């Protein structure tokens, strides 16, 4: 049984005050929807304030990154232990981190391990660039990214994968539901090969890249897609609420694979 999940990745947006306003605008509406997992991923500095605001609600909290060491002389970094105290989820391996901060498969693998070690649920992002897509290398690239990120990891406890084609992020040019479903099916197939059928059946895999209230249904209605990782549209309370509401109406609790 895979429960749909909609996560909002606020990226490097909102001051603490703005984060508080945004959460206040959607808190009640989101809390009412109980058959979809809703995860807000504000910037680090707003985690504590958002956590207070959603206390007692069904809304969950995630960070956007972490460092793989637990503590020490790593100026400016945030450790898994610090996050485990504050939130339940953490985005790892976002393409913006791979692209602008040189995160390699090896680093991402260490981060996934570090998150799992403290009981955080990683939202592991993978996806191909435009060039790779045009060269017909999508399958090859996501397979390689998935395998290197999960190297040496035997238990996927709570891990979530997000397929985010780089060319669809922040461009307004989303993949089609069919394209995303196909690649996500391939990711699931890889999980079957790396682990087993049950683990693949239970793993939640999201689509991300220019998801809005206008196109969310196209993704949510696909059998392999378990939800969305939403960037820009998650910064607008009405938009995000609409995506979650549509997901609840279309999918709720469901099981795709017998
Ligand atoms: P957009 O929804 O703004 O395209 O961003 C997607 C994303 O990168 C979510 O992690």
């Amino acid at each position: 049984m895979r429960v749909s999940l909609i996560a909002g990745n606020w990226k490097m947006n909102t001051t603490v005050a703005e984060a508080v306003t945004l959460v206040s605008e959607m808190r009640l509406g989101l809390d009412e929807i109980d058959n979809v997992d809703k995860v807000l991923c504000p910037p680090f500095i707003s985690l504590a304030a958002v956590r207070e605001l959603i206390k007692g609600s069904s809304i969950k909290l995630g960070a956007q990154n972490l460092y793989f060491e637990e503590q020490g002389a790593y100026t400016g970094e945030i450790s898994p232990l610090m996050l485990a105290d504050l939130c339940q989820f953490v985005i790892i391996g976002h393409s913006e981190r791979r692209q602008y901060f040189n995160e390699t498969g090896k680093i991402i693998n260490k981060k996934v391990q570090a998150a799992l070690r403290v009981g955080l649920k990683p939202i592991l992002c993978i996806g191909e660039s435009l060039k790779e897509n045009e060269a017909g290398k999508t399958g090859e690239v996501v397979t390689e990214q998935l395998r290197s990120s999960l190297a040496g990891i035997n238990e996927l406890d709570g891990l979530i994968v997000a397929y985010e084609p780089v060319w669809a992020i922040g461009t307004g040019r989303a993949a089609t539901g069919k394209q995303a479903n196909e690649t996500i099916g391939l990711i699931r197939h890889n999980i079957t090969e790396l682990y087993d059928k049950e683990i693949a059946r239970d793993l939640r895999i999201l689509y991300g890249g220019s998801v809005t209230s206008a196109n969310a249904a196209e993704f949510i209605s696909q059998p392999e897609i378990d939800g969305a990782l939403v960037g820009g549209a998650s910064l607008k309370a009405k938009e995000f609420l609409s995506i979650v509401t549509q997901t609840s109406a279309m999918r709720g609790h469901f099981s795709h694979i017998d």
Side-chain angles (χ1 to χ4, degrees), residues 9 11 94 96 125 164 168-171 208-211 229-233:
N9 175 9
K11 307 194 180 183
H94 193 282
E96 287 149 16
C125 301
E164 297 207 310
I169 296 176
T171 58
S210 296
V211 174
L229 181 54
V230 185

Side-chain angles (χ1 to χ4, degrees), residues 165-207:
V166 178
W167 48 271
I169 296 176
T171 58
R173 181 187 161 196
T176 64
K178 191 166 168 274
Q179 278 173 329
N181 190 64
E182 215 171 273
T183 304
I184 289 175
L186 172 73
I187 294 168
R188 203 178 297 288
H189 172 75
N190 271 297
I191 295 290
T192 306
E193 286 197 339
L194 288 171
Y195 298 90
D196 61 39
K197 227 178 156 196
E198 282 68 44
I199 291 177
R201 181 197 58 200
D202 294 343
L203 177 77
R204 291 190 285 186
I205 311 180
L206 317 177
Y207 167 76

Side-chain angles (χ1 to χ4, degrees), residues 26-56:
M26 49 189 179
R27 179 179 45 186
L28 289 180
L30 286 178
D31 189 30
E32 276 172 8
I33 300 166
D34 62 3
N35 61 350
V36 175
D37 279 345
K38 303 136 297 192
V39 183
L40 303 180
C41 304
F44 286 132
I45 58 159
S46 294
L47 283 171
V50 173
R51 179 174 175 248
E52 282 308 303
L53 278 175
I54 61 176
K55 223 177 217 168

Side-chain angles (χ1 to χ4, degrees), residues 7-246:
N9 175 9
W10 297 6
K11 307 194 180 183
M12 198 177 72
N13 294 292
T14 68
T15 61
V16 177
E18 287 164 350
V20 166
T21 304
L22 182 55
V23 175
S24 306
E25 284 168 3
M26 49 189 179
R27 179 179 45 186
L28 289 180
L30 286 178
D31 189 30
E32 276 172 8
I33 300 166
D34 62 3
N35 61 350
V36 175
D37 279 345
K38 303 136 297 192
V39 183
L40 303 180
C41 304
F44 286 132
I45 58 159
S46 294
L47 283 171
V50 173
R51 179 174 175 248
E52 282 308 303
L53 278 175
I54 61 176
K55 223 177 217 168
S57 82
S58 57
I59 304 166
K60 298 188 170 96
L61 194 57
Q64 299 174 17
N65 183 28
L66 86 179
Y67 191 55
F68 48 75
E69 295 291 349
E70 293 195 345
Q71 61 179 45
Y74 304 101
T75 303
E77 293 298 315
I78 303 287
S79 92
L81 281 178
M82 296 170 187
L83 291 178
D85 240 18
L86 276 176
C87 59
Q88 302 97 333
F89 293 82
V90 58
I91 297 171
I92 296 178
H94 193 282
S95 65
E96 287 149 16
R97 302 234 34 111
R98 295 176 192 259
Q99 208 179 329
Y100 307 134
F101 304 99
N102 304 318
E103 289 197 10
T104 60
K106 237 184 178 158
I107 293 173
I108 291 161
N109 176 248
K110 281 185 172 185
K111 290 188 170 191
V112 173
Q113 301 206 34
L116 290 172
R117 212 176 296 133
V118 297
L120 284 166
K121 296 179 171 70
I123 303 178
L124 169 66
C125 301
I126 56 176
E128 83 287 2
S129 67
L130 181 61
K131 213 168 139 201
E132 291 160 342
N133 181 278
E134 287 174 345
K137 290 191 170 153
T138 300
E140 197 181 309
V141 171
V142 298
T143 298
E144 197 286 315
Q145 288 181 350
L146 187 74
R147 288 180 182 244
S148 64
S149 307
L150 297 180
I153 298 174
N154 300 323
E155 306 270 337
L156 295 188
D157 291 335
L159 180 120
I160 289 149
V161 174
Y163 168 54
E164 297 207 310
V166 178
W167 48 271
I169 296 176
T171 58
R173 181 187 161 196
T176 64
K178 191 166 168 274
Q179 278 173 329
N181 190 64
E182 215 171 273
T183 304
I184 289 175
L186 172 73
I187 294 168
R188 203 178 297 288
H189 172 75
N190 271 297
I191 295 290
T192 306
E193 286 197 339
L194 288 171
Y195 298 90
D196 61 39
K197 227 178 156 196
E198 282 68 44
I199 291 177
R201 181 197 58 200
D202 294 343
L203 177 77
R204 291 190 285 186
I205 311 180
L206 317 177
Y207 167 76
S210 296
V211 174
T212 64
S213 63
N215 65 15
E218 184 181 342
F219 299 105
I220 302 306
S221 59
Q222 299 291 332
E224 293 288 352
I225 305 179
D226 302 316
L229 181 54
V230 185
S234 72
L235 293 166
K236 297 177 198 141
K238 252 185 149 173
E239 271 285 295
F240 192 66
L241 249 175
S242 168
I243 294 167
V244 174
T245 305
Q246 290 181 56

